[in-house]
């Protein structure tokens, strides 16, 4: 299941979004549509449900919505802000990370 | 973060508060040179020292004392440095201020900001009369 990493602190609004990575102190800016895509992905819906809601919201086809949502998810995963795997558990011998 | 320098030409606070402000700002300048994850960890530790709630007047005095001290620093002393300096100064005085990092989307342009906040009283030393439009991402 796609999710943001524990070290991230997102601000997601209809006017746009931003994600602070506590490991690096860097902000990642999200456009309003990218912010909506992340909100839908984090809402607990499956990716198919998120695609359906996104398509309805912006009046676009399901294919285009799927491409948009996947692009946002992949971009955040590539930046190390999100992960598609299960939650990782911090190991006690690497507590400082 | 905003690049505007934040300093005050008005000396405020008691001698003790001004000393704490100088020490807090110096610590903040050092901590902000570290990787950010170490900075936040150090701030969380420092927050444990400051458990006593501050009054709004004292919090304001500490923040303004940090701004006044920042006037003497020739390098960058913007919102990150002064807000963290205020939080650390408050901790040195045994008081508690939150360090907040956030973003504002409207009115445009998008701006990133750091500020000190009293736990139940909102941002300290910030202009809030026209409303506070920043969304908080991280509170320590």
């Amino acid at each position: 299941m796609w999710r943001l990493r524990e070290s991230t602190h997102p601000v997601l609004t209809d006017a746009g979004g931003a994600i602070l990575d506590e490991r690096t102190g860097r902000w990642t800016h999200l456009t309003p549509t990218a912010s909506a895509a992340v909100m839908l992905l984090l809402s607990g819906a499956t990716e198919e449900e998120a695609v359906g809601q996104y398509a309805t919201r912006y009046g676009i086809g399901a294919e285009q919505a799927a491409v948009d949502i996947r692009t946002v998810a992949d971009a955040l995963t590539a930046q190390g802000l999100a992960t598609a795997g299960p939650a990782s558990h911090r190991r006690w011998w690497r507590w400082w990370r | 973060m905003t690049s505007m320098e934040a300093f005050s030409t008005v000396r405020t606070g008691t001698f003790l508060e001004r000393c704490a402000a100088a020490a807090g700002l110096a610590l903040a300048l050092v901590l902000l040179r570290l990787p950010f994850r170490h900075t936040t960890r150090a701030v969380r530790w420092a927050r444990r020292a400051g458990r006593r709630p501050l009054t709004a007047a004292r919090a304001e005095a500490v923040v303004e004392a940090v701004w006044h001290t920042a006037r003497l620093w020739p390098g960058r002393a913007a919102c990150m440095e002064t807000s963290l300096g205020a939080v650390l100064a408050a901790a040195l005085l045994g008081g508690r201020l939150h360090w907040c990092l956030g973003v504002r989307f409207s009115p445009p342009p998008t701006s990133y900001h750091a500020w000190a906040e009293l736990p139940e009283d909102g941002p300290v030393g910030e202009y809030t009369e026209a409303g506070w439009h920043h969304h908080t991402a991280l509170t320590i």
Side-chain angles (χ1 to χ4, degrees):
Chain A
M1 184 180 166
W2 188 89
R3 61 185 177 80
L4 291 173
R5 285 191 183 274
E6 280 177 23
S7 60
T8 59
H9 301 276
V11 173
L12 302 168
T13 72
D14 291 336
I19 301 173
L20 174 66
D21 186 350
E22 196 177 329
R23 293 172 303 170
T24 60
R26 287 177 192 276
W27 286 96
T28 300
H29 179 72
L30 301 174
T31 61
T33 48
S35 177
V38 174
M39 276 194 276
L40 290 170
L41 285 168
L42 295 179
S43 67
T46 62
E47 192 163 325
E48 290 73 32
E49 288 168 341
V51 166
Q53 290 173 29
Y54 188 88
T56 306
R57 182 170 185 166
Y58 292 107
I60 57 175
E63 275 183 28
Q64 184 60 53
V67 169
D68 288 358
I69 285 186
R70 181 74 355 235
T71 302
V72 172
D74 288 346
L76 294 177
T77 305
Q79 286 186 44
L81 296 171
T83 178
S88 64
H89 297 288
R90 187 180 294 177
R91 296 186 173 99
W92 64 268
W93 65 88
R94 304 198 74 177
W95 57 270
W96 66 86
R97 299 203 69 180
Chain B
M1 297 297 141
T2 51
S3 59
M4 188 181 293
E5 308 277 314
F7 59 80
S8 165
T9 55
V10 182
R11 178 189 278 189
T12 54
T14 61
F15 177 73
L16 193 63
E17 286 166 352
R18 292 201 301 273
C19 287
L25 182 63
L27 270 171
L29 292 168
V30 172
L31 286 176
L32 289 170
R33 297 288 183 277
L34 301 176
F36 195 70
R37 63 180 184 275
H38 297 315
T39 307
T40 53
R41 186 171 295 276
V43 176
R44 286 193 172 100
W45 281 342
R47 277 283 319 283
R48 290 178 194 166
R51 290 165 185 260
R52 211 171 46 235
L54 291 176
T55 62
R58 191 160 200 213
E60 196 87 28
V62 169
V63 168
E64 287 183 9
V66 171
W67 287 347
H68 187 261
T69 309
R71 200 171 56 112
L72 305 171
W73 174 244
R76 177 192 148 102
C79 60
M80 280 282 273
E81 290 80 5
T82 54
S83 60
L84 180 54
V87 170
L88 296 173
L92 288 170
L93 294 166
R96 184 172 56 194
L97 276 179
H98 285 164
W99 189 39
C100 300
L101 302 175
V103 58
R104 187 195 70 195
F105 299 107
S106 64
T110 299
S111 76
Y112 299 95
H113 190 42
W115 65 94
E117 191 170 291
L118 261 178
E120 289 168 11
D121 209 44
V124 181
E126 301 284 337
Y127 179 74
T128 56
E129 285 173 21
W132 183 247
H133 302 290
H134 286 87
H135 300 273
T136 307
L138 173 64
T139 301
I140 300 176

